[in-house]
Amino acid sequence: MQDAGEFLAYILDGMHEECKWQVDSRCNVPFGSPVQVLFGGVMRNTVRARGARTDSVSYEPFNVLSLPIDAPQVNSVEDALCAFTATETINGGEFTKSVRFQEMPHALVITLQRFSYDATRGAASKIKKELTYPNELRVDPAHLAPECQSRAYELLAVLCHTGLSIDSGHYYALVRYDDSWYLYDDEIVSKVSAAEVAKRTYDVYILIYANRSGKVSFLPSSSTRVTEVL
């Protein structure tokens, strides 16, 4: 059985490679694509050694945000974001590490890490716990780098998994069109209420949120000289 989270990441990466444009190297602008414009975000990873005066900072782009949910205190998407950005002590207290969002995407795709490796079984097992998710999401400013612009998101789609393992079970999706929600279960499509969407707390696996403010330009900025479309 193909994992939906891995398949989604594969599709987005493939679309980016097919649609990316080559920009003039003199502009000092990296490769981009409509996929990157819509789904692309950037994380800022900061590591500080004990007694150090400066931080070691690196930046990591992402199209899909994968959030661990195994901690007992994680019972919602908001909890998962808090745990993901919490400062971590590593190497016996010699270093601290933290993650902040340097840039938030227009379309935020969240994968909840429902599956983890079980050493006793030698295979992946499903984390069967209830996780709530809001219809409207605004990332706490504490999770953002100082330069990051906060965005207000609205839930657009929910992908759910039923079953006990990554190798078995069944996927179905709930998708919002205008102000109505629809359940897609194989060849069956039916209209559902927003209250029904919110009840999928034990099955929720992937969430897609859309930025509520304004339209998105899929073209390079006017200051970017596009020399070739790949």
Side-chain angles (χ1 to χ4, degrees):
M1 183 177 181
Q2 174 71 54
D3 176 66
E6 294 179 354
F7 183 66
L8 176 59
Y10 172 80
I11 288 293
L12 290 177
D13 287 343
M15 291 172 61
H16 165 66
E17 289 298 322
E18 288 295 322
C19 300
K20 70 183 182 183
W21 50 71
Q22 170 78 54
V23 299
D24 193 323
S25 59
R26 291 170 294 181
C27 297
N28 195 30
V29 178
F31 288 168
S33 74
V35 174
Q36 207 171 52
V37 170
L38 185 60
F39 296 98
V42 179
M43 287 183 285
R44 175 177 175 171
N45 301 301
T46 303
V47 177
R48 170 167 287 194
R50 184 174 6 179
R53 296 183 179 181
T54 58
D55 298 329
S56 174
V57 178
S58 62
Y59 298 92
E60 181 182 352
F62 68 92
N63 288 332
V64 177
L65 182 61
S66 182
L67 297 178
I69 62 170
D70 54 330
Q73 70 270 23
V74 175
N75 298 296
S76 67
V77 168
E78 295 92 335
D79 291 343
L81 284 167
C82 286
F84 185 74
T85 58
T87 300
E88 177 185 4
T89 302
I90 55 179
N91 198 22
E94 289 296 319
F95 300 92
T96 58
K97 179 182 178 182
S98 62
V99 177
R100 295 292 183 271
F101 295 104
Q102 182 73 20
E103 184 176 343
M104 293 299 295
H106 292 282
L108 176 61
V109 180
I110 297 176
T111 298
L112 303 173
Q113 294 181 16
R114 281 280 185 190
F115 304 101
S116 63
Y117 181 75
D118 187 341
T120 59
R121 297 175 57 246
S125 62
K126 185 175 181 180
I127 300 175
K128 297 180 286 292
K129 67 186 296 185
E130 186 176 19
L131 285 159
T132 60
Y133 44 94
N135 183 59
E136 297 181 355
L137 175 67
R138 182 179 287 275
V139 179
D140 191 315
H143 308 328
L144 307 176
E147 308 84 3
C148 184
Q149 178 183 0
S150 179
R151 297 188 188 278
Y153 293 100
E154 190 169 16
L155 187 62
L156 186 65
V158 183
L159 182 72
C160 298
H161 175 272
T162 60
L164 300 178
S165 74
I166 195 172
D167 300 317
S168 63
H170 177 68
Y171 288 111
Y172 64 92
L174 301 112
V175 181
R176 181 171 60 84
Y177 181 75
D178 290 335
D179 294 325
S180 299
W181 282 93
Y182 296 89
L183 168 65
Y184 292 81
D185 190 352
D186 290 337
E187 72 278 6
I188 300 173
V189 180
S190 55
K191 192 172 183 179
V192 296
S193 66
E196 282 297 316
V197 175
K199 291 180 179 178
R200 314 292 167 149
T201 51
Y202 281 98
D203 295 340
V204 58
Y205 182 30
I206 297 175
L207 298 156
I208 300 178
Y209 285 92
N211 181 21
R212 297 177 59 189
S213 58
K215 296 182 179 180
V216 180
S217 173
F218 290 100
L219 297 176
S221 66
S222 58
S223 60
T224 303
R225 295 177 57 190
V226 179
T227 59
E228 182 182 2
V229 177
L230 303 181

